[in-house]
Short mmCIF file of all heavy atoms in Angstrom, two decimals:
data_model
loop_
_atom_site.label_atom_id
_atom_site.label_comp_id
_atom_site.label_asym_id
_atom_site.label_seq_id
_atom_site.Cartn_x
_atom_site.Cartn_y
_atom_site.Cartn_z
N ASN Z 22 -16.67 21.63 -3.46
CA ASN Z 22 -17.44 22.84 -3.78
C ASN Z 22 -18.14 22.80 -5.21
O ASN Z 22 -19.21 23.27 -5.32
CB ASN Z 22 -16.47 24.06 -3.74
CG ASN Z 22 -15.93 24.28 -2.37
OD1 ASN Z 22 -16.53 23.89 -1.35
ND2 ASN Z 22 -14.65 24.73 -2.30
N ASP Z 23 -17.39 22.07 -6.13
CA ASP Z 23 -17.99 22.04 -7.44
C ASP Z 23 -18.84 20.80 -7.79
O ASP Z 23 -19.06 20.47 -8.87
CB ASP Z 23 -16.82 22.20 -8.50
CG ASP Z 23 -15.81 21.10 -8.27
OD1 ASP Z 23 -15.86 20.45 -7.18
OD2 ASP Z 23 -14.95 20.91 -9.15
N PHE Z 24 -19.27 20.14 -6.69
CA PHE Z 24 -20.00 18.88 -6.90
C PHE Z 24 -21.45 19.28 -7.09
O PHE Z 24 -22.06 20.06 -6.39
CB PHE Z 24 -19.88 18.03 -5.64
CG PHE Z 24 -20.73 16.72 -5.72
CD1 PHE Z 24 -20.17 15.76 -6.55
CD2 PHE Z 24 -21.93 16.62 -5.14
CE1 PHE Z 24 -20.95 14.53 -6.64
CE2 PHE Z 24 -22.64 15.45 -5.22
CZ PHE Z 24 -22.14 14.39 -6.01
N GLU Z 25 -22.05 18.71 -8.22
CA GLU Z 25 -23.46 18.95 -8.51
C GLU Z 25 -24.20 17.58 -8.43
O GLU Z 25 -23.84 16.61 -9.07
CB GLU Z 25 -23.50 19.49 -9.98
CG GLU Z 25 -22.89 20.89 -10.16
CD GLU Z 25 -23.03 21.39 -11.57
OE1 GLU Z 25 -23.64 20.67 -12.40
OE2 GLU Z 25 -22.53 22.46 -11.83
N THR Z 26 -25.34 17.63 -7.69
CA THR Z 26 -26.16 16.46 -7.64
C THR Z 26 -27.01 16.32 -8.89
O THR Z 26 -27.26 17.26 -9.53
CB THR Z 26 -27.03 16.58 -6.37
OG1 THR Z 26 -27.89 17.73 -6.48
CG2 THR Z 26 -26.23 16.68 -5.08
N SER Z 27 -27.38 15.09 -9.07
CA SER Z 27 -28.23 14.76 -10.28
C SER Z 27 -29.61 15.19 -9.99
O SER Z 27 -30.19 15.17 -8.91
CB SER Z 27 -28.21 13.26 -10.55
OG SER Z 27 -28.62 12.53 -9.45
N VAL Z 28 -30.19 15.80 -11.08
CA VAL Z 28 -31.63 16.31 -11.00
C VAL Z 28 -32.46 15.55 -12.05
O VAL Z 28 -32.03 15.52 -13.16
CB VAL Z 28 -31.67 17.85 -11.17
CG1 VAL Z 28 -33.06 18.39 -11.10
CG2 VAL Z 28 -30.75 18.48 -10.15
N ALA Z 29 -33.64 15.15 -11.65
CA ALA Z 29 -34.55 14.55 -12.61
C ALA Z 29 -35.06 15.55 -13.60
O ALA Z 29 -35.38 16.71 -13.25
CB ALA Z 29 -35.68 13.85 -11.90
N THR Z 30 -35.25 15.18 -14.82
CA THR Z 30 -35.77 16.03 -15.88
C THR Z 30 -36.68 15.28 -16.85
O THR Z 30 -36.57 14.08 -16.89
CB THR Z 30 -34.56 16.62 -16.67
OG1 THR Z 30 -35.10 17.51 -17.67
CG2 THR Z 30 -33.72 15.53 -17.28
N ASP Z 31 -37.54 16.04 -17.48
CA ASP Z 31 -38.41 15.45 -18.40
C ASP Z 31 -37.93 15.61 -19.86
O ASP Z 31 -38.56 15.06 -20.82
CB ASP Z 31 -39.84 16.15 -18.35
CG ASP Z 31 -40.49 15.88 -16.98
OD1 ASP Z 31 -40.20 14.84 -16.42
OD2 ASP Z 31 -41.36 16.65 -16.63
N GLN Z 32 -36.82 16.33 -20.05
CA GLN Z 32 -36.27 16.51 -21.38
C GLN Z 32 -35.33 15.37 -21.71
O GLN Z 32 -34.19 15.29 -21.15
CB GLN Z 32 -35.55 17.82 -21.40
CG GLN Z 32 -36.40 19.07 -21.17
CD GLN Z 32 -35.64 20.35 -21.18
OE1 GLN Z 32 -34.45 20.30 -21.42
NE2 GLN Z 32 -36.31 21.45 -20.94
N ILE Z 33 -35.81 14.44 -22.48
CA ILE Z 33 -35.09 13.28 -22.94
C ILE Z 33 -34.72 13.32 -24.41
O ILE Z 33 -35.53 13.74 -25.23
CB ILE Z 33 -35.89 11.99 -22.65
CG1 ILE Z 33 -36.28 11.97 -21.11
CG2 ILE Z 33 -35.08 10.73 -23.07
CD1 ILE Z 33 -37.15 10.76 -20.82
N GLU Z 34 -33.48 13.07 -24.66
CA GLU Z 34 -33.03 13.02 -26.06
C GLU Z 34 -33.84 12.03 -26.89
O GLU Z 34 -33.97 10.83 -26.45
CB GLU Z 34 -31.54 12.80 -26.18
CG GLU Z 34 -30.97 12.88 -27.50
CD GLU Z 34 -29.48 12.64 -27.54
OE1 GLU Z 34 -28.95 12.44 -26.43
OE2 GLU Z 34 -28.89 12.61 -28.61
N ALA Z 35 -34.27 12.44 -27.98
CA ALA Z 35 -35.07 11.50 -28.88
C ALA Z 35 -34.24 10.37 -29.43
O ALA Z 35 -32.99 10.61 -29.71
CB ALA Z 35 -35.68 12.31 -30.05
N LEU Z 36 -34.80 9.26 -29.50
CA LEU Z 36 -34.15 8.10 -29.98
C LEU Z 36 -34.15 8.06 -31.54
O LEU Z 36 -35.14 8.24 -32.21
CB LEU Z 36 -34.81 6.76 -29.56
CG LEU Z 36 -34.16 5.46 -30.00
CD1 LEU Z 36 -32.76 5.28 -29.44
CD2 LEU Z 36 -35.06 4.30 -29.57
#
Side-chain angles (χ1 to χ4, degrees):
N22 298 327
D23 56 347
F24 179 78
E25 296 181 0
T26 59
S27 58
V28 180
T30 179
D31 296 335
Q32 299 178 0
I33 302 175
E34 184 179 356
L36 179 63

